[in-house]
Amino acid sequence: MKNKLLIPILFASAIFVSCKEEVKQRNIEVNYPETIKKAIIDTIFDTKVVDNYRWLEDDRSKETEAWVKAENAVTFNYLNKIPYREQLKSRLTALWNYEKVGTPFKEGDYVYFYKNNGLQNQYVVYRKKDDKEEVFLDPNTFSEDATTSLGSLSFSKDGKTVAYSISEGGSDWRKIIIMDTDSKIIKEDTIVDVKFSGISWYKNEGFYYSSYDKPKGSELSAKTDQHKLYYHKLGTSQKNDVVIFGEKASEKHRYVSGYLTEDHTYLIISASTSTSGNKLFIKDLSAENSELITVIDNFDSDTSVIENNQSKLYLVTNLNAANKKVVTVDAKNPSQEHWKDFIPETENVLNLTSGAGYFFAEYMVDAVSKVIQYDFDGNLIREIKLPGVGSAGGFSGKKEAAELYFSFTNYNTPNSSYKFNPKEGTYTSYWKPSIDFNADHYESHQVFYTSKDGTKVPMIITHKKGLELNGKNPTILYGYGGFNISLTPSFSIANAVWMEQGGIYAVPNLRGGGEYGKKWHDAGTQLKKQNVFDDFIAAAEYLIAEKYTSSEYLAIRGGSNGGLLVGATMTQRPELMKVALPAVGVLDMLRYHKFTAGAGWAYDYGTAEQSKEMFNYLKGYSPVHNVKEGTSYPATLVTTGDHDDRVVPAHSFKFAAELQEKQAGESPVLIRIETNAGHGAGTPVTKTIEQYADIFGFTLFNMGFDQLTNPPKNKIKS
């Protein structure tokens, strides 16, 4: 070690940290603070596991606070010296600066819609009546630094009262505020300590919401595992709110939600212990003192009530239908033996919406939308011809609506919205953005490549037209691969800037996602999780083999579960990519379930205590536990937020500490910790632009680019 430095601290007992050998990366010196080791040894199934950096899990300690400041100082010293960082920020800001308008929805006497004039940190809620437009809610005024964001927005049946939730500093913990819509005057005390909750009104009297008991210790990291559904009656104190479901300590559910049918006749309650599979219950609110009726009493399927026609319920389920189907049943006898098929399962995954007295079945065909319209008797009305090949959303509204709206986008087409006539099946443009980006200059195409075990995996590749396949194109390979989540084509302002620089953006639909239904999801879970990493690695190898890029110009990126994907891939195949960008990642697979609602992810991951086989499997790929001394890792920029209470930042802290200690190569390994920020939702536009400028600048700089839009300085390695 060359020398020692003292981190500036605000408390008496100083922490001393050592600097590793200076790393010179393209003339920028990086002096890593070497994080103090305080070894804690766990014994799991007779195996000793050393955790040197567990002290970083304490998000409230002065030691952790000092460490964050020291790491950010090193990181921003590096980022500040990238010559075109400000150019990237300027271009991102310029391209971001266009008006964005959401599709409208009617509540009471008003039509509401979201709008951003371009660079507002948060979207503003507007409303119109008799063509007079006004601001209804402006989240940009909620806090001085714009880090307080708007979450759920829900109106009473008559539209005269609204309940909306806010998030402070990006936290999943929310507050609910109740307001009179005419006067915009707050009506009563704020509801506090709400988490993972919608807001569902019962007529004009009150609403249902969900939360956990306030945890002991840190709200940002303490475990929460018993979710409850509450009913708040207007004009009463929160302390008198009634627990509707989830109070039994003997029957814990980590996720509980309640919602009503449009006619407010039935309360639907969903309860689950993990992110897949739910029990389902209904309660007839039109009958006094009615009992809760069980529809599904196990976690073997994902089932929900999508609509009702008097006592006839329409359910979407993947029970005995991996790609989902729609069934009907009478509310008085809703158990499975009484179900009748309504829209049968097909070879494509179904997502169902309803509005104007119709159902709209959106199917994913190789991750691209196809929409078919049905009536309430199950008759096929038409296939709706979409504006192009991409992702459609919307087609929902109240039963009496005369018109509906939908949105359309793909990787090179900014999101636009359309007004749809459900009787005629025709639509007209409602809103299209005026943006300084010419989609005609770019192209997307889908390829199918072969993974390690022979599975065919789709990938959409987007770039400028006329791209030369010479192996020198800077490429971001983005993936997720988990939790039944599908990556479908959508436009990103940031990715548009990346492609303007000659960059390629490639998105494979990995196993673990939902693009091909339940079987595709399950093929990337627990003891099959390696399939996800193999699919991602095979995508990189395909791009290299086909000369789109090479290892010298490849960056891999993903967030949350995708951060795990990046962490596992870079530790298994560090030579495959030049840059790794794990964001808010799940990186300690032996302890993820001990924080906040992490135990609910066990369906996808399994846990270290589950079995010796599962422990060994998790330990075998857990990024924190697979950083090897003497290995040359790619240039790495770990990103997280200090208020992330979904995937606690300790995952990223520990991974960065391991990388900085053991990196043998010359590429920098840095961590960028956004302060007063969470898992991502509600992040102010200014912060988002700064993050992308840093990410893209770091990536291009480490690929050898001296300036924007120019060829890289270094030669491709043979």
Side-chain angles (χ1 to χ4, degrees):
M1 302 300 172
K2 284 191 172 182
N3 63 329
K4 291 189 176 182
L5 62 90
L6 176 64
I7 298 179
I9 52 176
L10 303 175
F11 56 102
S13 56
I15 301 176
F16 287 90
V17 296
S18 300
C19 285
K20 286 182 72 75
E21 293 294 324
E22 292 178 352
V23 175
K24 290 187 178 182
Q25 178 65 13
R26 306 197 60 229
N27 301 319
I28 298 180
E29 293 182 354
V30 182
N31 298 310
Y32 299 127
E34 184 174 339
T35 311
I36 289 175
K37 293 181 178 180
K38 300 179 183 180
I40 294 177
I41 301 174
D42 294 320
T43 301
I44 309 174
F45 293 108
D46 300 323
T47 299
K48 294 186 182 301
V49 180
V50 179
D51 190 342
N52 287 315
Y53 304 118
R54 188 170 297 177
W55 62 271
L56 286 170
E57 293 177 1
D58 186 354
D59 56 89
R60 298 186 299 175
S61 76
K62 294 294 185 181
E63 291 93 339
T64 301
E65 180 183 357
W67 183 88
V68 167
K69 289 180 179 178
E71 288 289 344
N72 267 344
V74 171
T75 297
F76 284 101
N77 178 65
Y78 183 95
L79 295 172
N80 287 336
K81 292 177 180 176
I82 294 174
Y84 39 76
R85 179 183 180 221
E86 287 303 313
Q87 285 180 267
L88 283 167
K89 182 179 176 181
S90 177
R91 180 55 186 151
L92 282 160
T93 302
L95 192 57
W96 221 288
N97 192 15
Y98 69 92
E99 188 179 65
K100 307 163 191 72
V101 179
T103 55
F105 54 96
K106 192 172 189 303
E107 299 289 350
D109 297 328
Y110 292 91
V111 173
Y112 294 83
F113 58 96
Y114 289 79
K115 184 168 74 171
N116 190 307
N117 66 16
L119 293 175
Q120 288 174 291
N121 279 308
Q122 306 289 345
Y123 273 74
V124 177
V125 183
Y126 286 77
R127 67 180 180 184
K128 286 195 300 186
K129 182 180 180 182
D130 300 326
D131 292 327
K132 183 181 178 182
E133 182 179 302
E134 65 174 352
V135 172
F136 179 63
L137 275 177
D138 184 359
N140 297 289
T141 65
F142 290 175
S143 61
E144 288 187 9
D145 60 0
T147 57
T148 298
S149 59
L150 179 64
S152 299
L153 181 71
S154 182
F155 292 82
S156 61
K157 192 171 178 64
D158 62 8
K160 294 186 180 298
T161 310
V162 66
Y164 62 92
S165 65
I166 61 171
S167 167
E168 296 168 314
S171 173
D172 281 333
W173 289 97
R174 307 291 168 94
K175 296 176 180 177
I176 296 177
I177 298 169
I178 303 159
M179 188 173 77
D180 178 83
T181 57
D182 286 334
S183 65
K184 292 189 273 190
I185 294 174
I186 304 301
K187 294 186 71 167
E188 55 183 76
D189 292 342
T190 297
I191 307 294
V192 298
D193 299 326
V194 177
K195 189 172 184 180
F196 297 151
S197 177
I199 302 171
S200 190
W201 280 87
Y202 175 61
K203 298 182 179 178
N204 309 309
E205 301 172 10
F207 54 84
Y208 297 88
Y209 68 94
S210 305
S211 195
Y212 305 89
D213 292 334
K214 196 166 185 176
K216 297 178 181 178
S218 171
E219 275 197 2
L220 296 178
S221 58
K223 189 173 182 178
T224 50
D225 63 356
Q226 185 166 2
H227 217 198
K228 300 176 183 179
L229 179 68
Y230 293 86
Y231 178 71
H232 175 74
K233 184 175 176 59
L234 289 186
T236 65
S237 172
Q238 182 180 3
K239 66 182 181 181
N240 296 323
D241 289 354
V242 178
V243 178
I244 303 299
F245 186 92
E247 194 166 26
K248 294 180 181 178
S250 60
E251 191 179 12
K252 290 185 178 181
H253 299 94
R254 294 191 181 94
Y255 309 105
V256 174
S257 64
Y259 56 99
L260 280 82
T261 53
E262 186 181 327
D263 59 8
H264 289 222
T265 298
Y266 298 103
L267 170 66
I268 316 299
I269 298 176
S270 174
S272 57
T273 58
S274 191
T275 51
S276 288
N278 67 287
K279 295 177 183 178
L280 192 68
F281 309 90
I282 63 169
K283 181 178 175 64
D284 185 350
L285 299 180
S286 67
E288 191 173 353
N289 298 321
S290 61
E291 296 292 323
L292 205 61
I293 300 174
T294 301
V295 182
I296 295 281
D297 65 354
N298 56 62
F299 304 112
D300 296 339
S301 69
D302 297 290
T303 303
S304 61
V305 175
I306 192 71
E307 189 57 89
N308 76 303
N309 188 0
Q310 296 182 349
S311 67
K312 185 178 184 179
L313 303 179
Y314 298 84
L315 288 75
V316 180
T317 184
N318 61 7
L319 184 63
N320 301 319
N323 292 336
K324 295 186 181 178
K325 65 179 179 179
V326 184
V327 299
T328 60
V329 71
D330 190 273
K332 294 178 182 177
N333 296 289
S335 55
Q336 182 190 346
E337 62 267 24
H338 300 295
W339 291 4
K340 295 179 181 178
D341 282 359
F342 180 72
I343 300 177
E345 180 188 18
T346 71
E347 62 181 353
N348 299 309
V349 181
L350 167 70
N351 179 52
L352 194 75
T353 58
S354 67
Y358 295 96
F359 290 110
F360 298 89
E362 183 208 334
Y363 292 99
M364 274 190 294
V365 183
D366 297 327
V368 173
S369 292
K370 173 182 178 181
V371 181
I372 297 177
Q373 182 179 353
Y374 293 89
D375 65 20
F376 269 43
D377 293 322
N379 298 311
L380 190 154
I381 304 301
R382 62 178 62 87
E383 179 181 344
I384 298 167
K385 184 175 175 59
L386 297 174
V389 177
S391 304
F395 294 105
S396 63
K398 293 180 170 63
K399 284 182 183 178
E400 68 271 15
E403 56 196 21
L404 302 174
Y405 296 84
F406 72 93
S407 61
F408 179 82
T409 184
N410 56 37
Y411 287 118
N412 60 324
T413 303
N415 191 73
S416 301
S417 54
Y418 298 84
K419 182 188 292 186
F420 177 73
N421 183 324
K423 291 186 177 179
E424 302 296 330
T426 57
Y427 56 83
T428 56
S429 175
Y430 174 74
W431 178 82
K432 284 193 174 183
S434 177
I435 179 174
D436 182 22
F437 177 81
N438 192 336
D440 293 337
H441 294 169
Y442 298 83
E443 63 179 330
S444 287
H445 59 281
Q446 189 175 59
V447 301
F448 289 82
Y449 65 90
T450 304
S451 192
K452 183 177 181 180
D453 63 356
T455 299
K456 293 292 184 183
V457 181
M459 174 166 59
I460 295 179
I461 306 170
T462 308
H463 52 74
K464 281 183 178 178
K465 290 180 178 178
L467 181 81
E468 183 182 356
L469 300 184
N470 59 7
K472 298 181 180 180
N473 301 300
T475 299
I476 290 178
L477 178 64
Y478 180 87
Y480 189 80
F483 295 91
N484 202 36
I485 291 173
S486 302
L487 296 186
T488 56
S490 63
F491 182 76
S492 160
I493 300 169
N495 290 336
V497 171
W498 173 257
M499 292 188 294
E500 283 183 339
Q501 302 307 317
I504 294 173
Y505 186 68
V507 182
N509 297 109
L510 313 172
R511 280 175 285 185
E515 292 87 352
Y516 294 104
K518 189 66 174 169
K519 292 179 181 177
W520 192 254
H521 173 209
D522 286 347
T525 61
Q526 298 204 23
L527 296 174
K528 298 177 182 177
K529 188 66 180 177
Q530 184 62 39
N531 286 337
V532 185
F533 313 141
D534 289 342
D535 289 355
F536 200 54
I537 290 167
E541 291 174 335
Y542 175 90
L543 292 169
I544 293 168
E546 297 297 320
K547 301 293 185 183
Y548 285 96
T549 192
S550 67
S551 293
E552 288 295 298
Y553 303 104
L554 177 65
I556 60 172
R557 185 165 185 255
S560 196
N561 173 72
L564 163 62
L565 172 69
V566 172
T569 301
M570 66 178 285
T571 50
Q572 292 181 16
R573 292 289 303 277
E575 84 294 344
L576 188 59
M577 74 294 300
K578 186 66 175 178
V579 178
L581 302 166
V584 292
V586 187
L587 298 162
D588 184 341
M589 299 310 296
L590 302 186
R591 289 180 57 77
Y592 77 86
H593 56 297
K594 297 181 181 293
F595 305 102
T596 63
W601 311 335
Y603 183 95
D604 265 57
Y605 298 147
T607 67
E609 289 87 0
Q610 185 173 322
S611 68
K612 186 173 184 179
E613 181 184 25
M614 183 60 72
F615 160 69
N616 287 327
Y617 192 83
L618 289 168
K619 187 172 182 292
Y621 75 77
S622 175
V624 164
H625 300 91
N626 283 278
V627 180
K628 306 299 183 187
E629 188 80 48
T631 300
S632 294
Y633 289 102
T636 303
L637 182 62
V638 181
T639 53
T640 188
D642 68 345
H643 277 59
D644 190 343
D645 49 3
R646 185 86 53 87
V647 180
V648 294
H651 286 275
S652 296
F653 295 173
K654 293 162 78 171
F655 187 53
E658 291 283 352
L659 283 169
Q660 290 180 352
E661 179 197 358
K662 297 173 181 175
Q663 168 71 304
E666 294 186 351
S667 295
V669 286
L670 305 173
I671 180 167
R672 184 188 190 281
I673 305 155
E674 190 71 67
T675 55
N676 205 22
H679 200 58
T683 302
V685 165
T686 50
K687 284 180 177 284
T688 301
I689 288 172
E690 290 169 357
Q691 289 168 7
Y692 275 113
D694 290 345
I695 289 167
F696 291 164
F698 179 87
T699 300
L700 291 169
F701 191 72
N702 282 282
M703 289 177 177
F705 287 84
D706 287 324
Q707 52 188 322
L708 298 184
T709 69
N710 279 10
K713 180 181 177 181
N714 51 316
K715 300 295 183 182
I716 190 168
K717 294 181 179 178
S718 59

